């Protein structure tokens, strides 16, 4: 038996200006989770203007991980109201990620979306977003506490209830668990091809899947990449994503299923 090559996971980057120069960046915690928890080879995808050709990018990948970010999806992408002054956007990332999501799902590539990625997935498939969740009637404040150490910001925040009989119940083996919470926006109108897999006590949609997609699609509003190796639920999600990517890699490279395991 030969050693199967590591599946390649594309991670689209955010754009930032640093000392007047444009940079493409990805948080190390996402890269580490793809490498260590999913046991895959992370490959960063730059968000350029114009974007790289979608099909050429997908030809080289076995899965896609869409990360969180300080920026929000531009409301023009879902016909939302104009953002308030000072809202951070990243339109080059929007132009890169939204077409990648739709095309990857159509191809059957495994997709794991986190925080901003969770919102991108919903928008890419025709849904909309709440721009200020905490201002809605009966809603929790899902934002991270200000001026607190990072360990507190990423610490346990609230429970989620898992949809009975859904994919997340099968993947995690849990009916509910505690998650962290560091977001101001959230899913409003759910995209028609998505299924709710977990909700917060205030009804906020915390996890979704695409049950009719040809490949695995899992998406969460919280941050499972944070210390993923220490969290059993996070590990089960990343392991499922990694296993799906290995299956895709075996098909893409013509490797037997036994060798790809």
């Amino acid at each position: 038996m030969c050693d199967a090559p590591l599946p390649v996971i594309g991670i689209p980057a955010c754009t930032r200006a640093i000392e007047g120069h444009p940079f493409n960046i990805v948080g190390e915690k996402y890269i580490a989770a793809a490498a260590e928890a999913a046991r895959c080879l992370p490959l960063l995808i730059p968000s350029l203007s114009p974007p790289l050709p979608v099909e050429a990018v997908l030809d080289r990948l076995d899965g896609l991980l869409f990360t969180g970010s300080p920026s929000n999806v531009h409301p023009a992408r879902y016909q939302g109201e104009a953002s308030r002054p000072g809202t951070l956007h990243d339109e080059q990332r929007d132009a890169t990620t939204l077409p990648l999501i739709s095309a990857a799902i159509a191809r059957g590539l495994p997709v794991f979306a986190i925080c901003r990625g969770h919102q991108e997935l919903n928008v890419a498939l025709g849904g909309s977003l709440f721009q200020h969740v905490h201002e809605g009637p009966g809603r929790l404040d899902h934002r991270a506490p200000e001026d607190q150490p990072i360990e507190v910001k990423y610490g346990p925040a609230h429970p989620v209830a898992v949809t009975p009989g859904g994919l997340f119940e099968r993947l995690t083996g849990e009916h509910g668990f505690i998650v962290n919470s560091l977001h101001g926006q959230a899913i409003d109108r759910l995209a028609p091809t998505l299924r709710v897999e977990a909700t917060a006590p205030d009804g906020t949609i915390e996890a979704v899947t695409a049950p009719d997609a040809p490949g695995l699609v899992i998406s969460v509003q919280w941050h499972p990449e944070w210390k993923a190796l220490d969290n059993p639920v996070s590990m089960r999600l990343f392991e499922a994503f990694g296993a799906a990517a290995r299956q895709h890699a075996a098909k893409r490279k013509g490797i037997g299923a036994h060798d790809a395991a």
Side-chain angles (χ1 to χ4, degrees):
M1 181 180 70
C2 65
D3 291 332
L6 290 175
V8 179
I9 299 300
I11 309 178
C14 298
T15 63
R16 292 287 182 277
I18 302 176
E19 295 184 354
H21 295 280
F23 278 73
N24 271 251
I25 61 173
V26 174
E28 185 175 306
K29 58 194 171 84
Y30 300 103
I31 301 169
E36 298 169 3
R39 295 188 294 115
C40 295
L41 181 66
L43 179 67
L44 308 190
I45 303 171
S47 294
L48 302 177
S49 182
L52 295 172
V54 169
E55 299 302 325
V57 171
L58 296 181
D59 283 345
R60 292 155 173 81
L61 300 178
D62 302 305
L64 280 160
L65 176 64
F66 295 92
T67 72
S69 172
S71 70
N72 293 317
V73 178
H74 197 285
R77 294 285 183 172
Y78 53 91
Q79 293 75 53
E81 295 182 359
S83 298
R84 293 176 183 173
T87 301
L88 181 62
H89 293 297
D90 187 344
E91 294 190 68
Q92 284 183 215
R93 170 165 167 161
D94 293 344
T96 296
T97 56
L98 300 184
L100 278 175
I101 288 170
S102 301
I105 291 174
R107 277 192 177 211
L109 263 75
V111 168
F112 193 173
I114 295 171
C115 197
R116 189 197 208 268
H118 179 69
Q119 297 160 17
E120 288 171 332
L121 173 71
N122 190 56
V123 170
L125 299 181
S128 66
L129 304 177
F130 287 119
Q131 294 191 43
H132 304 280
V133 179
H134 63 285
E135 296 179 0
R139 293 282 181 167
L140 299 172
D141 190 344
H142 290 262
R143 298 172 298 176
E146 296 183 3
D147 303 321
Q148 291 293 323
I150 192 168
E151 297 283 347
V152 175
K153 290 182 177 180
Y154 280 86
H158 64 73
V160 297
V162 175
T163 301
L167 179 60
F168 267 59
E169 185 181 66
R170 297 196 297 275
L171 291 180
T172 67
E174 304 287 348
H175 301 294
F177 42 85
I178 305 295
V179 300
N180 51 32
S181 186
L182 298 95
H183 62 101
Q185 302 199 333
I187 291 176
D188 180 6
R189 184 183 69 255
L190 185 68
T193 56
L194 296 179
R195 179 182 191 270
V196 175
E197 294 282 347
T199 55
D202 63 354
T204 296
I205 297 173
E206 292 281 340
V208 300
T209 56
D212 296 326
L216 178 71
V217 178
I218 54 176
S219 180
V220 300
Q221 184 59 77
W222 69 89
H223 285 267
E225 83 287 349
W226 174 254
K227 296 189 174 180
L229 299 180
D230 299 329
N231 186 303
V233 169
S234 297
M235 281 300 300
R236 290 170 196 145
L237 296 177
F238 276 104
E239 286 169 351
F241 177 56
R246 276 181 280 282
Q247 291 178 356
H248 185 275
K251 293 178 183 178
R252 184 165 70 92
K253 298 175 181 178
I255 299 170
H258 182 67
D259 289 337

